Amino acid sequence: DGDGSQDWVIGAPGWDGIGTNSGYVVAISGATGTALWTRNGSTGSRWGESLCAVGDANGDGRPDVAVGAPGVDVGLVSILSGPNGGTIRTFSGDPFTGFGTSLALLRPLGTGPVRLLVGEPGGVSNRGRVWLLDPTQPA
């Protein structure tokens, strides 16, 4: 939130508030412990199963976050604005493969751009695969 304290983003993929396993994600102020913003998933999405800081994905000078929702039909990974939780962009995988089950940030040595690694355990005939995405580019 720009107050100089480290904030936190927490996922609860098994939350049933909107529907079974809808999940939610909340950003917590490191200074006060209060919720800065909350986003709910849809029924069965397991929204928030994976989370990853992605740096500044939209050029506003503030860090953003990737959120996985592998329970929806195609699996989703959304890049959310750190300051307000708004959706910057969303990526999707192949149907019923668990796209977004895991997330990691790849930071190359030197000055190369960061990349987002997205796990898809059911991809390529259930052998699994990892996607390499640019969180700053449209899906």
Side-chain angles (χ1 to χ4, degrees):
D1 62 1
D3 64 4
S5 294
Q6 183 72 46
D7 299 323
W8 302 89
V9 178
I10 301 166
W15 182 68
D16 295 334
I18 302 297
T20 303
N21 290 324
S22 54
Y24 77 93
V25 175
V26 60
I28 304 290
S29 167
T32 66
T34 59
L36 299 171
W37 52 261
T38 301
R39 292 283 307 270
N40 299 325
S42 59
T43 298
S45 70
R46 299 200 51 80
W47 177 252
E49 180 152 325
S50 55
L51 299 166
C52 184
V54 294
D56 182 9
N58 62 353
D60 68 357
R62 301 281 221 12
D64 302 310
V65 63
V67 178
V72 293
D73 293 347
V74 293
L76 298 174
V77 172
S78 294
I79 309 297
L80 303 183
S81 169
N84 62 30
T87 302
I88 297 170
R89 65 188 48 84
T90 299
F91 300 94
S92 60
D94 292 333
F96 307 107
T97 58
F99 179 84
T101 296
S102 58
L103 299 171
L105 192 65
L106 177 64
R107 289 195 182 272
L109 296 174
T111 60
V114 298
R115 295 292 183 252
L116 182 64
L117 300 170
V118 179
E120 184 182 40
V124 191
S125 301
N126 287 321
R127 292 179 296 199
R129 80 174 135 198
V130 175
W131 292 69
L132 180 67
L133 304 174
D134 182 343
T136 66
Q137 297 299 314

